[in-house]
Amino acid sequence: MAKKKSKKKWDFKAAKDLFYDYLEKRQEKKQINLPPETIQIDNLNRKEALNRLYNLTDSVIEKIYSSGRPSIQLPSRTSTNIIWDEENDLLLLGKQLQEKQFHSLSSVADITRLMRVLEAVNELLVKDLHATKREIFYSDVKLFGEQKNSDKSIEDIATMLYTTRNSTHIVASAKGSCIGRLRIRDKSDIIDLEGLGSGGWTISPMLDNIEILESDAE
């Protein structure tokens, strides 16, 4: 009878820290100089994202007080504003802006959806939580109508803040499962995947929060 392999304990945290250091140094070495006619999209931490969000809402409030006609400007995501950076082989956003105004029923509905998503992003960032795009849609089905409307508003908000969607703490739905002789830590929770049955552990979209504690993988 074959002996069951003993579980080995690995210092995955130290390995992960070394890997992140490597990525940071690699990023510094491969600093991309963007063409002058394009905008920069940043990965932001929670505090930076909140600061940009507050600056955005302050500008909307100022327009309400000054003109009584609030409007929102955001980079256009149309094909005419997509620029191919041949040197770095990247598709980039140009500096063309589009303005959303309160001047018709359709535009009011569009901006109302934007404000609803902005409210959700603020709550997620303040509480340091994450939500999936599907959860944002179900937070106000009557307003969004279809998920494509909430998805569009989510992308618009990220573009308005000149950041990535993940920086707004809105993530894609979890896909795939994992099962086997593996123990992980998800923030403060210890999860033993071997005891989760045939369904396994649904892979989290927030992998930065996951730490591998034990595995017998070789």
mmCIF file of all heavy atoms in Angstrom, residues 124 130-138 147 151 154 165 169-174 205-206:
data_model
loop_
_atom_site.group_PDB
_atom_site.id
_atom_site.type_symbol
_atom_site.label_atom_id
_atom_site.label_comp_id
_atom_site.label_asym_id
_atom_site.label_seq_id
_atom_site.Cartn_x
_atom_site.Cartn_y
_atom_site.Cartn_z
ATOM 1 N N LEU A 124 -17.830 50.778 -1.532
ATOM 2 C CA LEU A 124 -16.868 49.676 -1.561
ATOM 3 C C LEU A 124 -15.488 50.127 -1.096
ATOM 4 O O LEU A 124 -14.816 49.431 -0.321
ATOM 5 C CB LEU A 124 -16.773 49.104 -2.978
ATOM 6 C CG LEU A 124 -18.002 48.361 -3.510
ATOM 7 C CD1 LEU A 124 -17.825 48.035 -4.988
ATOM 8 C CD2 LEU A 124 -18.255 47.083 -2.717
ATOM 9 N N HIS A 130 -15.191 44.371 -1.922
ATOM 10 C CA HIS A 130 -15.235 44.185 -3.365
ATOM 11 C C HIS A 130 -16.618 43.676 -3.765
ATOM 12 O O HIS A 130 -17.306 43.034 -2.978
ATOM 13 C CB HIS A 130 -14.172 43.182 -3.832
ATOM 14 C CG HIS A 130 -12.775 43.691 -3.738
ATOM 15 N ND1 HIS A 130 -12.094 43.767 -2.537
ATOM 16 C CD2 HIS A 130 -11.916 44.159 -4.693
ATOM 17 C CE1 HIS A 130 -10.882 44.249 -2.760
ATOM 18 N NE2 HIS A 130 -10.750 44.493 -4.046
ATOM 19 N N ALA A 131 -17.005 43.967 -4.981
ATOM 20 C CA ALA A 131 -18.268 43.465 -5.523
ATOM 21 C C ALA A 131 -18.048 43.073 -6.972
ATOM 22 O O ALA A 131 -17.184 43.631 -7.658
ATOM 23 C CB ALA A 131 -19.368 44.520 -5.420
ATOM 24 N N THR A 132 -18.826 42.116 -7.432
ATOM 25 C CA THR A 132 -18.745 41.723 -8.837
ATOM 26 C C THR A 132 -19.640 42.633 -9.672
ATOM 27 O O THR A 132 -20.530 43.309 -9.154
ATOM 28 C CB THR A 132 -19.188 40.264 -9.032
ATOM 29 O OG1 THR A 132 -20.582 40.148 -8.688
ATOM 30 C CG2 THR A 132 -18.371 39.323 -8.161
ATOM 31 N N LYS A 133 -19.404 42.624 -10.967
ATOM 32 C CA LYS A 133 -20.250 43.410 -11.865
ATOM 33 C C LYS A 133 -21.707 42.947 -11.779
ATOM 34 O O LYS A 133 -22.624 43.766 -11.879
ATOM 35 C CB LYS A 133 -19.733 43.298 -13.301
ATOM 36 C CG LYS A 133 -18.368 43.931 -13.507
ATOM 37 C CD LYS A 133 -18.056 44.144 -14.974
ATOM 38 C CE LYS A 133 -17.828 42.857 -15.702
ATOM 39 N NZ LYS A 133 -17.433 43.082 -17.124
ATOM 40 N N ARG A 134 -21.890 41.667 -11.586
ATOM 41 C CA ARG A 134 -23.249 41.123 -11.464
ATOM 42 C C ARG A 134 -23.936 41.665 -10.210
ATOM 43 O O ARG A 134 -25.127 41.984 -10.225
ATOM 44 C CB ARG A 134 -23.185 39.594 -11.424
ATOM 45 C CG ARG A 134 -24.534 38.900 -11.577
ATOM 46 C CD ARG A 134 -25.083 39.085 -12.962
ATOM 47 N NE ARG A 134 -26.297 38.302 -13.181
ATOM 48 C CZ ARG A 134 -27.115 38.480 -14.208
ATOM 49 N NH1 ARG A 134 -26.849 39.418 -15.109
ATOM 50 N NH2 ARG A 134 -28.182 37.731 -14.359
ATOM 51 N N GLU A 135 -23.186 41.771 -9.124
ATOM 52 C CA GLU A 135 -23.757 42.293 -7.880
ATOM 53 C C GLU A 135 -24.142 43.763 -8.019
ATOM 54 O O GLU A 135 -25.152 44.203 -7.450
ATOM 55 C CB GLU A 135 -22.759 42.103 -6.736
ATOM 56 C CG GLU A 135 -22.618 40.660 -6.285
ATOM 57 C CD GLU A 135 -21.479 40.457 -5.306
ATOM 58 O OE1 GLU A 135 -20.492 41.222 -5.360
ATOM 59 O OE2 GLU A 135 -21.572 39.523 -4.486
ATOM 60 N N ILE A 136 -23.350 44.521 -8.758
ATOM 61 C CA ILE A 136 -23.700 45.926 -8.998
ATOM 62 C C ILE A 136 -25.021 46.011 -9.760
ATOM 63 O O ILE A 136 -25.889 46.825 -9.439
ATOM 64 C CB ILE A 136 -22.582 46.639 -9.783
ATOM 65 C CG1 ILE A 136 -21.285 46.678 -8.958
ATOM 66 C CG2 ILE A 136 -23.012 48.052 -10.165
ATOM 67 C CD1 ILE A 136 -21.384 47.447 -7.665
ATOM 68 N N PHE A 137 -25.190 45.166 -10.757
ATOM 69 C CA PHE A 137 -26.440 45.160 -11.520
ATOM 70 C C PHE A 137 -27.629 44.847 -10.617
ATOM 71 O O PHE A 137 -28.653 45.530 -10.654
ATOM 72 C CB PHE A 137 -26.352 44.134 -12.654
ATOM 73 C CG PHE A 137 -27.675 43.819 -13.296
ATOM 74 C CD1 PHE A 137 -28.358 44.790 -14.020
ATOM 75 C CD2 PHE A 137 -28.248 42.562 -13.167
ATOM 76 C CE1 PHE A 137 -29.589 44.512 -14.605
ATOM 77 C CE2 PHE A 137 -29.469 42.274 -13.750
ATOM 78 C CZ PHE A 137 -30.143 43.253 -14.469
ATOM 79 N N TYR A 138 -27.491 43.832 -9.769
ATOM 80 C CA TYR A 138 -28.604 43.428 -8.910
ATOM 81 C C TYR A 138 -28.846 44.412 -7.761
ATOM 82 O O TYR A 138 -29.867 44.323 -7.086
ATOM 83 C CB TYR A 138 -28.369 42.023 -8.353
ATOM 84 C CG TYR A 138 -28.773 40.934 -9.321
ATOM 85 C CD1 TYR A 138 -27.838 40.025 -9.813
ATOM 86 C CD2 TYR A 138 -30.089 40.825 -9.753
ATOM 87 C CE1 TYR A 138 -28.206 39.034 -10.708
ATOM 88 C CE2 TYR A 138 -30.470 39.835 -10.651
ATOM 89 C CZ TYR A 138 -29.525 38.944 -11.121
ATOM 90 O OH TYR A 138 -29.904 37.974 -12.008
ATOM 91 N N GLN A 147 -27.972 44.200 -17.652
ATOM 92 C CA GLN A 147 -26.621 44.271 -17.106
ATOM 93 C C GLN A 147 -25.677 45.044 -18.018
ATOM 94 O O GLN A 147 -24.709 45.645 -17.550
ATOM 95 C CB GLN A 147 -26.057 42.875 -16.832
ATOM 96 C CG GLN A 147 -24.708 42.954 -16.108
ATOM 97 C CD GLN A 147 -24.193 41.633 -15.619
ATOM 98 O OE1 GLN A 147 -24.945 40.668 -15.529
ATOM 99 N NE2 GLN A 147 -22.913 41.574 -15.301
ATOM 100 N N ASP A 151 -22.812 47.534 -16.703
ATOM 101 C CA ASP A 151 -21.426 47.296 -17.128
ATOM 102 C C ASP A 151 -20.847 48.531 -17.812
ATOM 103 O O ASP A 151 -19.686 48.896 -17.587
ATOM 104 C CB ASP A 151 -21.356 46.102 -18.079
ATOM 105 C CG ASP A 151 -21.559 44.769 -17.370
ATOM 106 O OD1 ASP A 151 -21.604 44.760 -16.120
ATOM 107 O OD2 ASP A 151 -21.673 43.739 -18.060
ATOM 108 N N ILE A 154 -20.057 51.121 -15.216
ATOM 109 C CA ILE A 154 -18.859 50.740 -14.463
ATOM 110 C C ILE A 154 -17.601 51.131 -15.239
ATOM 111 O O ILE A 154 -16.663 51.716 -14.684
ATOM 112 C CB ILE A 154 -18.873 49.225 -14.166
ATOM 113 C CG1 ILE A 154 -19.958 48.895 -13.140
ATOM 114 C CG2 ILE A 154 -17.507 48.758 -13.665
ATOM 115 C CD1 ILE A 154 -20.240 47.411 -13.001
ATOM 116 N N ARG A 165 -10.624 49.188 -13.763
ATOM 117 C CA ARG A 165 -11.850 48.773 -13.069
ATOM 118 C C ARG A 165 -11.534 48.135 -11.724
ATOM 119 O O ARG A 165 -12.242 48.360 -10.738
ATOM 120 C CB ARG A 165 -12.648 47.801 -13.944
ATOM 121 C CG ARG A 165 -13.853 47.214 -13.224
ATOM 122 C CD ARG A 165 -14.757 46.427 -14.143
ATOM 123 N NE ARG A 165 -14.059 45.475 -14.969
ATOM 124 C CZ ARG A 165 -13.609 44.288 -14.538
ATOM 125 N NH1 ARG A 165 -13.768 43.931 -13.269
ATOM 126 N NH2 ARG A 165 -13.008 43.468 -15.375
ATOM 127 N N HIS A 169 -12.631 48.540 -7.037
ATOM 128 C CA HIS A 169 -13.083 47.406 -6.219
ATOM 129 C C HIS A 169 -14.287 46.689 -6.823
ATOM 130 O O HIS A 169 -15.021 46.000 -6.117
ATOM 131 C CB HIS A 169 -13.391 47.847 -4.782
ATOM 132 C CG HIS A 169 -12.154 48.023 -3.950
ATOM 133 N ND1 HIS A 169 -12.136 47.893 -2.579
ATOM 134 C CD2 HIS A 169 -10.871 48.321 -4.297
ATOM 135 C CE1 HIS A 169 -10.919 48.109 -2.118
ATOM 136 N NE2 HIS A 169 -10.131 48.376 -3.157
ATOM 137 N N ILE A 170 -14.486 46.854 -8.128
ATOM 138 C CA ILE A 170 -15.497 46.070 -8.842
ATOM 139 C C ILE A 170 -14.750 45.060 -9.705
ATOM 140 O O ILE A 170 -13.892 45.437 -10.505
ATOM 141 C CB ILE A 170 -16.400 46.958 -9.708
ATOM 142 C CG1 ILE A 170 -17.166 47.947 -8.821
ATOM 143 C CG2 ILE A 170 -17.388 46.110 -10.502
ATOM 144 C CD1 ILE A 170 -18.031 48.926 -9.597
ATOM 145 N N VAL A 171 -15.073 43.796 -9.520
ATOM 146 C CA VAL A 171 -14.315 42.740 -10.181
ATOM 147 C C VAL A 171 -15.242 41.884 -11.038
ATOM 148 O O VAL A 171 -16.470 41.958 -10.924
ATOM 149 C CB VAL A 171 -13.598 41.844 -9.141
ATOM 150 C CG1 VAL A 171 -12.582 42.648 -8.356
ATOM 151 C CG2 VAL A 171 -14.608 41.197 -8.199
ATOM 152 N N ALA A 172 -14.641 41.083 -11.885
ATOM 153 C CA ALA A 172 -15.419 40.136 -12.686
ATOM 154 C C ALA A 172 -15.923 39.014 -11.794
ATOM 155 O O ALA A 172 -15.387 38.768 -10.708
ATOM 156 C CB ALA A 172 -14.559 39.581 -13.815
ATOM 157 N N SER A 173 -16.959 38.340 -12.230
ATOM 158 C CA SER A 173 -17.506 37.230 -11.454
ATOM 159 C C SER A 173 -16.484 36.103 -11.363
ATOM 160 O O SER A 173 -15.696 35.883 -12.284
ATOM 161 C CB SER A 173 -18.793 36.708 -12.100
ATOM 162 O OG SER A 173 -19.776 37.714 -12.129
ATOM 163 N N ALA A 174 -16.510 35.415 -10.224
ATOM 164 C CA ALA A 174 -15.595 34.293 -10.027
ATOM 165 C C ALA A 174 -15.907 33.183 -11.021
ATOM 166 O O ALA A 174 -17.065 32.885 -11.294
ATOM 167 C CB ALA A 174 -15.721 33.775 -8.600
ATOM 168 N N PRO A 205 -11.976 36.152 -7.496
ATOM 169 C CA PRO A 205 -11.366 37.102 -8.431
ATOM 170 C C PRO A 205 -10.348 38.013 -7.746
ATOM 171 O O PRO A 205 -9.588 38.697 -8.406
ATOM 172 C CB PRO A 205 -12.567 37.904 -8.946
ATOM 173 C CG PRO A 205 -13.592 37.789 -7.875
ATOM 174 C CD PRO A 205 -13.396 36.440 -7.250
ATOM 175 N N MET A 206 -10.337 38.029 -6.390
ATOM 176 C CA MET A 206 -9.387 38.858 -5.643
ATOM 177 C C MET A 206 -8.212 37.999 -5.185
ATOM 178 O O MET A 206 -8.045 37.713 -4.002
ATOM 179 C CB MET A 206 -10.073 39.513 -4.441
ATOM 180 C CG MET A 206 -11.005 40.642 -4.802
ATOM 181 S SD MET A 206 -12.640 40.101 -5.314
ATOM 182 C CE MET A 206 -13.356 39.637 -3.755
#
